[in-house]
Amino acid sequence: MCGIVGYIGERTAQEVLLKGLSRLEYRGYDSAGVAILKDGRINAVKRQGKLSVLARELASNPLSGTMGIGHTRWATHGVPNDTNAHPHLDCSGKIAVVHNGIIENYLELKKYLKKKGHRFISDTDTETISHLIEDNYKGDLEAAVRKTTAILKGSYAIAAIHEKDSGRIVGARCDSPLIVGIGKGENFLASDVPAILDYTKEVIYLENHDIVTMTRSGVKITNGAGRVVKPKVSKVKWDISQAEKCGYRHFMLKEIFEQADVLQRILDERIRRGRIVFDELKLKESDLRCIKRIAIVACGTAYHAGLTGKYMIEEYARIPCWVDTSSEFRYRDPLVGEDTLVIIVSQSGETADSLAALREAKRRKAKTLGICNVLGSSIAREANGVIYTHAGPEIAVASTKAYTAQLAVFYLLTMYLASLRNTVKRSRLDSLVSQFKKLPSLMEDLLAEYKSDYNKIAAYAQEFKRYYHEKHNKSYFLYLGRNINYPNALEGALKLKEISYISAEGYPAGEMKHGPIALIDENPWVVCIATRSKTYDKMLSNIQEIKARGGIVIALVTEGDEEILHHSVNYLVELPAVEEFFSPLIVVIPLQLLAYYVALEFGYDIDQPRNLAKSVTVE
Ligand code: AGP
């Protein structure tokens, strides 16, 4: 939700800021702006719309200057327009601020500031920050920011500049991410690593309540208690090419096609001499042996990975497990305590609800484990232990490779717990490990079938569009799965609706008769996950029931399935044979591709779907 950047050095700030913002556009894209300081004057330009609108404006009327701040917005307070776009200035126009997060007490602060004579021009919560800094400024920007943040309630990552402090950018964070990039004779501030990777790989992950003051030649960080701290500088291991499209039409497609490699990397890293290794776990084996239950807490796609994890853990590690969406967990009275392991799953590691759920679990003395993709993210740092998914940067808003990486970690964790608690025979575990190792190449072969845009699933998507128009836009999707593939039915539906805006629901197939079957006429397209499993025959009956009522069926089946041919399904997708336990990793591929190609057919903005943002750092 919103991306911020800051630059101070020798380069043209406009270029650095625009490049940084382009790498952060996944965080929000309804308006963008920059403020650049030159010869003791701040010049701010902000535009409603995607970054390209701002870039065009700046190409015609460039701003010179070598320090500045920038912002790409996902609106919370105030509609997307030029005025509500960041940076926000104070009354005098001498201070500029960019902000990611939500200031919960902004109305109260605004009232107070208005009484003191401050004039507001936007509907945003952020504008209160620039006026507060103005109010608190006594010749020292850092001190003014410190005084200001002390009275803010809510979440923020901010960057501020002042005309009279022309050699400094001041940043601060609380519950929204902010990193510092260290260069030679230049320094950077950003919401996320890709924004600065063109210039440096040396990064400082700021802690909550840190305040950073950057000059060209140095960085000073003070913590919440006002003490100067020696920051830990980390080296980013991945390359900027991983955050580029590399010839693919969309990041989503690129990320779908990266999945076999991601899986291979995870296996290479985590399985050594047949044993599962989690170097960074930090939780004691003795603690993991004693836990009595597991709660998995997450949002969206990560929640679906967690649901699949429950099937795995209960089957092999035999630990009672439940799964909650973070927004529910944090506001009820969950039964977690010292004997509970709470696993928070989050690609970004910054999702506000998941972070709050983690804190709630810690407050209740549960042991906590984060499964995160982004290194140094808040959830990764605050949980007692962490397992990184190492999927590389995921840029498309619709999550794909992070999901399969989360599934992979759940497989490994299940086997690890099963071995620790002796719930499965060694020979069975060895067989699971060796089957798992075959998955990357099976996935690779499957993906190879879909390399060209003229593939079977793309053709089905075309056919859907034709049918949709024929039925006067009344068609929609249902996804049915059972057992360990039921969460994939939910995930398939989520992928489709978030990028194609077509209604889609996922159900456990056995629930059809309890209500959803009433929906079936000739309008819905029903994606049935009918790969070989212990409930295969039941799924065939579901397919019959749908066909009998006029529904259009796309069946995902195991290669060589001849029985399905007797059921006159409309469309077939064949998948390589794997044991049911591992099938979610294979089944999800056509679901992702179907969502992609339907959105492509309808001509939507696949990587930046409307109303969404990649990391949801607000409630
Ligand atoms: C997935 O396609 C979504 N964009 C969304 O549901 C996402 O998975 C969710 O917001 C959770 O994000 P996180 O994994 O970063 O916590």
Side-chain angles (χ1 to χ4, degrees), residues 4-6 69-71 86 96-103 126 129-130 133 141 144-146 148-150 152 155-161 169-174 176-179 189-191 206 210-212:
I4 70 173
V5 284
I69 55 179
H71 188 270
H86 301 215
V97 173
V98 289
H99 166 222
N100 164 212
I102 285 188
I103 304 305
T126 304
I129 305 177
S130 22
I133 295 177
L141 181 60
V145 168
R146 184 178 311 289
T148 298
T149 51
L152 297 180
S155 59
Y156 56 83
I158 59 170
I161 53 175
I169 299 180
V170 179
R173 70 155 291 202
C174 173
S176 291
L178 191 61
I179 60 154
L189 209 53
S191 299
L206 293 177
D210 277 355
I211 292 188
V212 57

mmCIF file of all heavy atoms in Angstrom, residues 4-6 69-71 86 96-103 126 129-130 133 141 144-146 148-150 152 155-161 169-174 176-179 189-191 206 210-212:
data_model
loop_
_atom_site.group_PDB
_atom_site.id
_atom_site.type_symbol
_atom_site.label_atom_id
_atom_site.label_comp_id
_atom_site.label_asym_id
_atom_site.label_seq_id
_atom_site.Cartn_x
_atom_site.Cartn_y
_atom_site.Cartn_z
ATOM 1 N N ILE A 4 7.250 4.445 -1.119
ATOM 2 C CA ILE A 4 7.964 5.713 -0.987
ATOM 3 C C ILE A 4 9.443 5.521 -1.312
ATOM 4 O O ILE A 4 10.009 4.447 -1.108
ATOM 5 C CB ILE A 4 7.786 6.374 0.407
ATOM 6 C CG1 ILE A 4 8.501 5.597 1.512
ATOM 7 C CG2 ILE A 4 6.325 6.521 0.758
ATOM 8 C CD1 ILE A 4 8.466 6.334 2.862
ATOM 9 N N VAL A 5 10.045 6.584 -1.854
ATOM 10 C CA VAL A 5 11.482 6.571 -2.128
ATOM 11 C C VAL A 5 12.084 7.913 -1.728
ATOM 12 O O VAL A 5 11.384 8.931 -1.689
ATOM 13 C CB VAL A 5 11.821 6.352 -3.628
ATOM 14 C CG1 VAL A 5 11.650 4.917 -4.035
ATOM 15 C CG2 VAL A 5 11.022 7.249 -4.527
ATOM 16 N N GLY A 6 13.369 7.885 -1.455
ATOM 17 C CA GLY A 6 14.100 9.115 -1.169
ATOM 18 C C GLY A 6 15.493 8.979 -1.743
ATOM 19 O O GLY A 6 16.061 7.877 -1.754
ATOM 20 N N ILE A 69 12.212 13.289 -2.771
ATOM 21 C CA ILE A 69 11.406 12.157 -2.292
ATOM 22 C C ILE A 69 10.287 11.890 -3.302
ATOM 23 O O ILE A 69 9.914 12.779 -4.061
ATOM 24 C CB ILE A 69 10.810 12.443 -0.885
ATOM 25 C CG1 ILE A 69 10.010 13.765 -0.898
ATOM 26 C CG2 ILE A 69 11.894 12.471 0.174
ATOM 27 C CD1 ILE A 69 9.360 14.100 0.447
ATOM 28 N N GLY A 70 9.792 10.645 -3.319
ATOM 29 C CA GLY A 70 8.748 10.304 -4.287
ATOM 30 C C GLY A 70 7.757 9.316 -3.693
ATOM 31 O O GLY A 70 8.030 8.663 -2.675
ATOM 32 N N HIS A 71 6.616 9.172 -4.370
ATOM 33 C CA HIS A 71 5.528 8.372 -3.803
ATOM 34 C C HIS A 71 4.647 7.792 -4.903
ATOM 35 O O HIS A 71 4.362 8.455 -5.894
ATOM 36 C CB HIS A 71 4.668 9.295 -2.919
ATOM 37 C CG HIS A 71 3.619 8.588 -2.119
ATOM 38 N ND1 HIS A 71 2.343 8.364 -2.577
ATOM 39 C CD2 HIS A 71 3.665 8.067 -0.867
ATOM 40 C CE1 HIS A 71 1.641 7.737 -1.642
ATOM 41 N NE2 HIS A 71 2.420 7.540 -0.591
ATOM 42 N N HIS A 86 0.661 12.351 -3.127
ATOM 43 C CA HIS A 86 1.805 12.816 -2.328
ATOM 44 C C HIS A 86 2.879 13.323 -3.284
ATOM 45 O O HIS A 86 2.870 12.925 -4.445
ATOM 46 C CB HIS A 86 2.393 11.662 -1.507
ATOM 47 C CG HIS A 86 1.430 11.034 -0.564
ATOM 48 N ND1 HIS A 86 1.804 10.540 0.665
ATOM 49 C CD2 HIS A 86 0.104 10.792 -0.653
ATOM 50 C CE1 HIS A 86 0.756 10.011 1.278
ATOM 51 N NE2 HIS A 86 -0.285 10.149 0.491
ATOM 52 N N ALA A 96 8.161 19.006 2.587
ATOM 53 C CA ALA A 96 7.418 18.019 1.782
ATOM 54 C C ALA A 96 7.535 16.655 2.458
ATOM 55 O O ALA A 96 8.601 16.298 2.976
ATOM 56 C CB ALA A 96 7.985 17.960 0.369
ATOM 57 N N VAL A 97 6.412 15.908 2.428
ATOM 58 C CA VAL A 97 6.368 14.619 3.115
ATOM 59 C C VAL A 97 5.706 13.577 2.209
ATOM 60 O O VAL A 97 4.695 13.866 1.563
ATOM 61 C CB VAL A 97 5.539 14.734 4.426
ATOM 62 C CG1 VAL A 97 5.330 13.366 5.077
ATOM 63 C CG2 VAL A 97 6.216 15.674 5.412
ATOM 64 N N VAL A 98 6.294 12.373 2.181
ATOM 65 C CA VAL A 98 5.599 11.222 1.582
ATOM 66 C C VAL A 98 5.363 10.211 2.684
ATOM 67 O O VAL A 98 6.148 10.107 3.638
ATOM 68 C CB VAL A 98 6.399 10.579 0.420
ATOM 69 C CG1 VAL A 98 6.409 11.488 -0.796
ATOM 70 C CG2 VAL A 98 7.826 10.219 0.840
ATOM 71 N N HIS A 99 4.279 9.438 2.541
ATOM 72 C CA HIS A 99 3.848 8.586 3.656
ATOM 73 C C HIS A 99 3.219 7.300 3.118
ATOM 74 O O HIS A 99 2.455 7.330 2.166
ATOM 75 C CB HIS A 99 2.819 9.401 4.481
ATOM 76 C CG HIS A 99 2.025 8.603 5.463
ATOM 77 N ND1 HIS A 99 0.671 8.797 5.638
ATOM 78 C CD2 HIS A 99 2.377 7.633 6.334
ATOM 79 C CE1 HIS A 99 0.216 7.985 6.570
ATOM 80 N NE2 HIS A 99 1.229 7.260 7.013
ATOM 81 N N ASN A 100 3.530 6.204 3.768
ATOM 82 C CA ASN A 100 2.852 4.922 3.532
ATOM 83 C C ASN A 100 2.282 4.461 4.868
ATOM 84 O O ASN A 100 3.029 4.334 5.834
ATOM 85 C CB ASN A 100 3.878 3.915 2.979
ATOM 86 C CG ASN A 100 3.406 2.467 3.064
ATOM 87 O OD1 ASN A 100 4.211 1.563 3.243
ATOM 88 N ND2 ASN A 100 2.133 2.223 2.939
ATOM 89 N N GLY A 101 0.968 4.249 4.922
ATOM 90 C CA GLY A 101 0.348 3.811 6.169
ATOM 91 C C GLY A 101 -0.935 4.580 6.415
ATOM 92 O O GLY A 101 -1.476 5.209 5.506
ATOM 93 N N ILE A 102 -1.413 4.535 7.646
ATOM 94 C CA ILE A 102 -2.641 5.274 7.984
ATOM 95 C C ILE A 102 -2.441 5.960 9.333
ATOM 96 O O ILE A 102 -2.033 5.316 10.315
ATOM 97 C CB ILE A 102 -3.848 4.322 8.083
ATOM 98 C CG1 ILE A 102 -4.282 3.894 6.672
ATOM 99 C CG2 ILE A 102 -5.024 5.001 8.782
ATOM 100 C CD1 ILE A 102 -5.564 3.126 6.614
ATOM 101 N N ILE A 103 -2.727 7.257 9.385
ATOM 102 C CA ILE A 103 -2.661 7.972 10.660
ATOM 103 C C ILE A 103 -4.070 7.945 11.254
ATOM 104 O O ILE A 103 -4.991 8.600 10.753
ATOM 105 C CB ILE A 103 -2.154 9.428 10.454
ATOM 106 C CG1 ILE A 103 -0.798 9.415 9.732
ATOM 107 C CG2 ILE A 103 -2.076 10.170 11.781
ATOM 108 C CD1 ILE A 103 0.290 8.586 10.387
ATOM 109 N N THR A 126 -2.261 12.106 5.553
ATOM 110 C CA THR A 126 -0.833 12.444 5.474
ATOM 111 C C THR A 126 -0.551 13.938 5.659
ATOM 112 O O THR A 126 0.466 14.321 6.245
ATOM 113 C CB THR A 126 -0.271 11.992 4.100
ATOM 114 O OG1 THR A 126 -0.541 10.608 3.972
ATOM 115 C CG2 THR A 126 1.209 12.264 3.972
ATOM 116 N N ILE A 129 0.754 15.306 8.761
ATOM 117 C CA ILE A 129 2.165 15.107 9.129
ATOM 118 C C ILE A 129 2.994 16.318 8.704
ATOM 119 O O ILE A 129 3.809 16.837 9.484
ATOM 120 C CB ILE A 129 2.745 13.811 8.510
ATOM 121 C CG1 ILE A 129 1.877 12.609 8.892
ATOM 122 C CG2 ILE A 129 4.184 13.589 8.955
ATOM 123 C CD1 ILE A 129 2.323 11.293 8.271
ATOM 124 N N SER A 130 2.761 16.809 7.473
ATOM 125 C CA SER A 130 3.583 17.962 7.041
ATOM 126 C C SER A 130 3.303 19.191 7.897
ATOM 127 O O SER A 130 4.233 19.935 8.256
ATOM 128 C CB SER A 130 3.399 18.265 5.554
ATOM 129 O OG SER A 130 2.219 17.759 5.071
ATOM 130 N N ILE A 133 4.968 18.725 11.299
ATOM 131 C CA ILE A 133 6.421 18.975 11.220
ATOM 132 C C ILE A 133 6.667 20.481 11.186
ATOM 133 O O ILE A 133 7.555 21.007 11.878
ATOM 134 C CB ILE A 133 7.057 18.252 10.007
ATOM 135 C CG1 ILE A 133 6.939 16.732 10.186
ATOM 136 C CG2 ILE A 133 8.517 18.651 9.832
ATOM 137 C CD1 ILE A 133 7.465 15.903 9.025
ATOM 138 N N LEU A 141 15.221 19.502 11.334
ATOM 139 C CA LEU A 141 14.179 18.640 10.753
ATOM 140 C C LEU A 141 14.047 17.320 11.520
ATOM 141 O O LEU A 141 12.950 16.844 11.766
ATOM 142 C CB LEU A 141 14.501 18.379 9.269
ATOM 143 C CG LEU A 141 13.489 17.524 8.512
ATOM 144 C CD1 LEU A 141 12.105 18.157 8.503
ATOM 145 C CD2 LEU A 141 13.955 17.306 7.064
ATOM 146 N N ALA A 144 12.134 17.807 14.597
ATOM 147 C CA ALA A 144 10.717 18.055 14.302
ATOM 148 C C ALA A 144 10.003 16.753 13.942
ATOM 149 O O ALA A 144 8.863 16.522 14.352
ATOM 150 C CB ALA A 144 10.601 19.061 13.160
ATOM 151 N N VAL A 145 10.690 15.894 13.186
ATOM 152 C CA VAL A 145 10.083 14.610 12.820
ATOM 153 C C VAL A 145 9.895 13.765 14.087
ATOM 154 O O VAL A 145 8.862 13.128 14.291
ATOM 155 C CB VAL A 145 10.948 13.869 11.768
ATOM 156 C CG1 VAL A 145 10.489 12.423 11.585
ATOM 157 C CG2 VAL A 145 10.901 14.612 10.433
ATOM 158 N N ARG A 146 10.886 13.791 14.972
ATOM 159 C CA ARG A 146 10.789 13.000 16.210
ATOM 160 C C ARG A 146 9.576 13.451 17.033
ATOM 161 O O ARG A 146 8.795 12.645 17.520
ATOM 162 C CB ARG A 146 12.074 13.139 17.028
ATOM 163 C CG ARG A 146 12.087 12.268 18.292
ATOM 164 C CD ARG A 146 13.397 12.381 19.051
ATOM 165 N NE ARG A 146 14.549 12.220 18.199
ATOM 166 C CZ ARG A 146 14.927 11.075 17.656
ATOM 167 N NH1 ARG A 146 14.244 9.974 17.910
ATOM 168 N NH2 ARG A 146 15.972 11.023 16.870
ATOM 169 N N THR A 148 6.986 14.948 15.986
ATOM 170 C CA THR A 148 5.750 14.660 15.243
ATOM 171 C C THR A 148 5.358 13.193 15.384
ATOM 172 O O THR A 148 4.207 12.870 15.698
ATOM 173 C CB THR A 148 5.963 15.021 13.751
ATOM 174 O OG1 THR A 148 6.227 16.418 13.682
ATOM 175 C CG2 THR A 148 4.756 14.679 12.920
ATOM 176 N N THR A 149 6.311 12.307 15.147
ATOM 177 C CA THR A 149 5.966 10.877 15.174
ATOM 178 C C THR A 149 5.539 10.447 16.582
ATOM 179 O O THR A 149 4.769 9.506 16.733
ATOM 180 C CB THR A 149 7.139 10.000 14.686
ATOM 181 O OG1 THR A 149 8.321 10.362 15.403
ATOM 182 C CG2 THR A 149 7.372 10.173 13.208
ATOM 183 N N ALA A 150 6.009 11.162 17.585
ATOM 184 C CA ALA A 150 5.645 10.801 18.961
ATOM 185 C C ALA A 150 4.144 10.935 19.197
ATOM 186 O O ALA A 150 3.595 10.274 20.083
ATOM 187 C CB ALA A 150 6.419 11.685 19.939
ATOM 188 N N LEU A 152 1.814 10.615 16.613
ATOM 189 C CA LEU A 152 1.018 9.949 15.577
ATOM 190 C C LEU A 152 0.532 8.603 16.093
ATOM 191 O O LEU A 152 1.295 7.861 16.718
ATOM 192 C CB LEU A 152 1.861 9.706 14.317
ATOM 193 C CG LEU A 152 2.393 10.938 13.576
ATOM 194 C CD1 LEU A 152 3.213 10.502 12.366
ATOM 195 C CD2 LEU A 152 1.247 11.860 13.151
ATOM 196 N N SER A 155 -0.062 3.670 11.530
ATOM 197 C CA SER A 155 1.142 3.106 10.918
ATOM 198 C C SER A 155 1.726 4.119 9.940
ATOM 199 O O SER A 155 0.986 4.854 9.287
ATOM 200 C CB SER A 155 0.788 1.829 10.166
ATOM 201 O OG SER A 155 -0.177 2.111 9.184
ATOM 202 N N TYR A 156 3.029 4.127 9.861
ATOM 203 C CA TYR A 156 3.650 5.053 8.915
ATOM 204 C C TYR A 156 5.068 4.633 8.558
ATOM 205 O O TYR A 156 5.792 4.052 9.363
ATOM 206 C CB TYR A 156 3.693 6.487 9.491
ATOM 207 C CG TYR A 156 4.393 6.590 10.828
ATOM 208 C CD1 TYR A 156 5.773 6.676 10.909
ATOM 209 C CD2 TYR A 156 3.660 6.566 12.013
ATOM 210 C CE1 TYR A 156 6.417 6.740 12.135
ATOM 211 C CE2 TYR A 156 4.298 6.629 13.246
ATOM 212 C CZ TYR A 156 5.664 6.714 13.307
ATOM 213 O OH TYR A 156 6.300 6.762 14.524
ATOM 214 N N ALA A 157 5.390 4.905 7.293
ATOM 215 C CA ALA A 157 6.789 5.015 6.871
ATOM 216 C C ALA A 157 6.783 6.363 6.182
ATOM 217 O O ALA A 157 5.952 6.589 5.295
ATOM 218 C CB ALA A 157 7.150 3.910 5.904
ATOM 219 N N ILE A 158 7.649 7.267 6.615
ATOM 220 C CA ILE A 158 7.624 8.596 6.000
ATOM 221 C C ILE A 158 9.025 9.026 5.576
ATOM 222 O O ILE A 158 10.043 8.543 6.100
ATOM 223 C CB ILE A 158 7.035 9.680 6.947
ATOM 224 C CG1 ILE A 158 7.841 9.780 8.257
ATOM 225 C CG2 ILE A 158 5.586 9.460 7.246
ATOM 226 C CD1 ILE A 158 7.443 10.988 9.110
ATOM 227 N N ALA A 159 9.044 9.944 4.631
ATOM 228 C CA ALA A 159 10.289 10.625 4.282
ATOM 229 C C ALA A 159 9.942 12.103 4.188
ATOM 230 O O ALA A 159 8.885 12.465 3.649
ATOM 231 C CB ALA A 159 10.826 10.117 2.954
ATOM 232 N N ALA A 160 10.811 12.948 4.765
ATOM 233 C CA ALA A 160 10.514 14.379 4.793
ATOM 234 C C ALA A 160 11.752 15.177 4.391
ATOM 235 O O ALA A 160 12.888 14.787 4.697
ATOM 236 C CB ALA A 160 10.086 14.781 6.204
ATOM 237 N N ILE A 161 11.492 16.288 3.685
ATOM 238 C CA ILE A 161 12.583 17.232 3.382
ATOM 239 C C ILE A 161 12.118 18.643 3.733
ATOM 240 O O ILE A 161 10.916 18.920 3.783
ATOM 241 C CB ILE A 161 13.033 17.167 1.898
ATOM 242 C CG1 ILE A 161 11.839 17.326 0.942
ATOM 243 C CG2 ILE A 161 13.745 15.874 1.603
ATOM 244 C CD1 ILE A 161 12.245 17.391 -0.544
ATOM 245 N N ILE A 169 17.691 14.201 4.307
ATOM 246 C CA ILE A 169 16.350 13.619 4.207
ATOM 247 C C ILE A 169 16.130 12.881 5.525
ATOM 248 O O ILE A 169 17.013 12.158 5.995
ATOM 249 C CB ILE A 169 16.237 12.605 3.046
ATOM 250 C CG1 ILE A 169 16.524 13.300 1.711
ATOM 251 C CG2 ILE A 169 14.862 11.951 3.028
ATOM 252 C CD1 ILE A 169 16.438 12.384 0.499
ATOM 253 N N VAL A 170 14.962 13.080 6.117
ATOM 254 C CA VAL A 170 14.677 12.375 7.368
ATOM 255 C C VAL A 170 13.547 11.377 7.118
ATOM 256 O O VAL A 170 12.537 11.708 6.487
ATOM 257 C CB VAL A 170 14.289 13.371 8.488
ATOM 258 C CG1 VAL A 170 13.974 12.610 9.779
ATOM 259 C CG2 VAL A 170 15.433 14.352 8.733
ATOM 260 N N GLY A 171 13.751 10.150 7.597
ATOM 261 C CA GLY A 171 12.737 9.102 7.449
ATOM 262 C C GLY A 171 12.385 8.526 8.807
ATOM 263 O O GLY A 171 13.171 8.622 9.761
ATOM 264 N N ALA A 172 11.210 7.923 8.899
ATOM 265 C CA ALA A 172 10.803 7.276 10.154
ATOM 266 C C ALA A 172 9.822 6.173 9.827
ATOM 267 O O ALA A 172 9.140 6.226 8.796
ATOM 268 C CB ALA A 172 10.138 8.311 11.068
ATOM 269 N N ARG A 173 9.750 5.152 10.699
ATOM 270 C CA ARG A 173 8.795 4.083 10.437
ATOM 271 C C ARG A 173 8.136 3.540 11.701
ATOM 272 O O ARG A 173 8.730 3.553 12.786
ATOM 273 C CB ARG A 173 9.422 2.924 9.674
ATOM 274 C CG ARG A 173 10.405 2.096 10.450
ATOM 275 C CD ARG A 173 10.541 0.682 9.905
ATOM 276 N NE ARG A 173 9.336 -0.102 10.130
ATOM 277 C CZ ARG A 173 9.299 -1.433 10.148
ATOM 278 N NH1 ARG A 173 10.387 -2.129 9.920
ATOM 279 N NH2 ARG A 173 8.179 -2.078 10.387
ATOM 280 N N CYS A 174 6.898 3.108 11.526
ATOM 281 C CA CYS A 174 6.192 2.370 12.570
ATOM 282 C C CYS A 174 5.165 1.494 11.858
ATOM 283 O O CYS A 174 4.207 2.015 11.262
ATOM 284 C CB CYS A 174 5.498 3.329 13.533
ATOM 285 S SG CYS A 174 4.454 2.470 14.708
ATOM 286 N N SER A 176 5.066 0.156 9.068
ATOM 287 C CA SER A 176 5.116 0.120 7.603
ATOM 288 C C SER A 176 6.594 0.016 7.258
ATOM 289 O O SER A 176 7.421 0.643 7.925
ATOM 290 C CB SER A 176 4.548 1.400 6.990
ATOM 291 O OG SER A 176 3.169 1.463 7.199
ATOM 292 N N PRO A 177 6.937 -0.747 6.217
ATOM 293 C CA PRO A 177 8.353 -1.006 5.974
ATOM 294 C C PRO A 177 9.121 0.203 5.448
ATOM 295 O O PRO A 177 8.562 1.043 4.733
ATOM 296 C CB PRO A 177 8.324 -2.102 4.916
ATOM 297 C CG PRO A 177 7.012 -1.968 4.253
ATOM 298 C CD PRO A 177 6.052 -1.420 5.257
ATOM 299 N N LEU A 178 10.389 0.273 5.818
ATOM 300 C CA LEU A 178 11.274 1.320 5.295
ATOM 301 C C LEU A 178 12.711 0.806 5.367
ATOM 302 O O LEU A 178 13.138 0.303 6.409
ATOM 303 C CB LEU A 178 11.121 2.603 6.133
ATOM 304 C CG LEU A 178 11.772 3.867 5.555
ATOM 305 C CD1 LEU A 178 11.165 4.234 4.203
ATOM 306 C CD2 LEU A 178 11.598 5.051 6.509
ATOM 307 N N ILE A 179 13.405 0.916 4.249
ATOM 308 C CA ILE A 179 14.799 0.470 4.230
ATOM 309 C C ILE A 179 15.697 1.615 3.768
ATOM 310 O O ILE A 179 15.249 2.542 3.095
ATOM 311 C CB ILE A 179 15.003 -0.741 3.290
ATOM 312 C CG1 ILE A 179 14.591 -0.361 1.854
ATOM 313 C CG2 ILE A 179 14.226 -1.950 3.740
ATOM 314 C CD1 ILE A 179 15.285 -1.159 0.808
ATOM 315 N N LEU A 189 16.376 5.826 0.316
ATOM 316 C CA LEU A 189 15.347 5.408 1.266
ATOM 317 C C LEU A 189 14.249 4.763 0.420
ATOM 318 O O LEU A 189 13.937 5.277 -0.658
ATOM 319 C CB LEU A 189 14.807 6.676 1.932
ATOM 320 C CG LEU A 189 14.263 6.635 3.347
ATOM 321 C CD1 LEU A 189 15.250 6.018 4.311
ATOM 322 C CD2 LEU A 189 13.909 8.051 3.795
ATOM 323 N N ALA A 190 13.666 3.676 0.875
ATOM 324 C CA ALA A 190 12.606 3.065 0.051
ATOM 325 C C ALA A 190 11.734 2.138 0.872
ATOM 326 O O ALA A 190 12.143 1.645 1.931
ATOM 327 C CB ALA A 190 13.225 2.290 -1.109
ATOM 328 N N SER A 191 10.545 1.867 0.339
ATOM 329 C CA SER A 191 9.640 0.919 0.996
ATOM 330 C C SER A 191 10.110 -0.513 0.804
ATOM 331 O O SER A 191 9.769 -1.394 1.583
ATOM 332 C CB SER A 191 8.230 1.017 0.398
ATOM 333 O OG SER A 191 7.709 2.286 0.589
ATOM 334 N N LEU A 206 15.172 -0.850 8.621
ATOM 335 C CA LEU A 206 14.902 -0.051 9.826
ATOM 336 C C LEU A 206 13.944 -0.786 10.752
ATOM 337 O O LEU A 206 13.052 -1.507 10.307
ATOM 338 C CB LEU A 206 14.309 1.303 9.441
ATOM 339 C CG LEU A 206 15.248 2.249 8.683
ATOM 340 C CD1 LEU A 206 14.517 3.529 8.288
ATOM 341 C CD2 LEU A 206 16.476 2.604 9.520
ATOM 342 N N ASP A 210 12.368 3.642 14.536
ATOM 343 C CA ASP A 210 13.667 4.233 14.159
ATOM 344 C C ASP A 210 13.431 5.535 13.404
ATOM 345 O O ASP A 210 12.440 5.673 12.670
ATOM 346 C CB ASP A 210 14.436 3.294 13.206
ATOM 347 C CG ASP A 210 15.187 2.206 13.947
ATOM 348 O OD1 ASP A 210 15.188 2.233 15.188
ATOM 349 O OD2 ASP A 210 15.773 1.329 13.273
ATOM 350 N N ILE A 211 14.369 6.459 13.572
ATOM 351 C CA ILE A 211 14.365 7.669 12.745
ATOM 352 C C ILE A 211 15.723 7.737 12.058
ATOM 353 O O ILE A 211 16.768 7.563 12.699
ATOM 354 C CB ILE A 211 14.120 8.921 13.613
ATOM 355 C CG1 ILE A 211 12.673 8.861 14.131
ATOM 356 C CG2 ILE A 211 14.369 10.207 12.808
ATOM 357 C CD1 ILE A 211 12.185 10.073 14.836
ATOM 358 N N VAL A 212 15.702 7.943 10.735
ATOM 359 C CA VAL A 212 16.964 7.970 10.008
ATOM 360 C C VAL A 212 17.171 9.361 9.407
ATOM 361 O O VAL A 212 16.238 9.980 8.900
ATOM 362 C CB VAL A 212 16.998 6.876 8.908
ATOM 363 C CG1 VAL A 212 15.840 7.033 7.932
ATOM 364 C CG2 VAL A 212 18.301 6.910 8.125
#
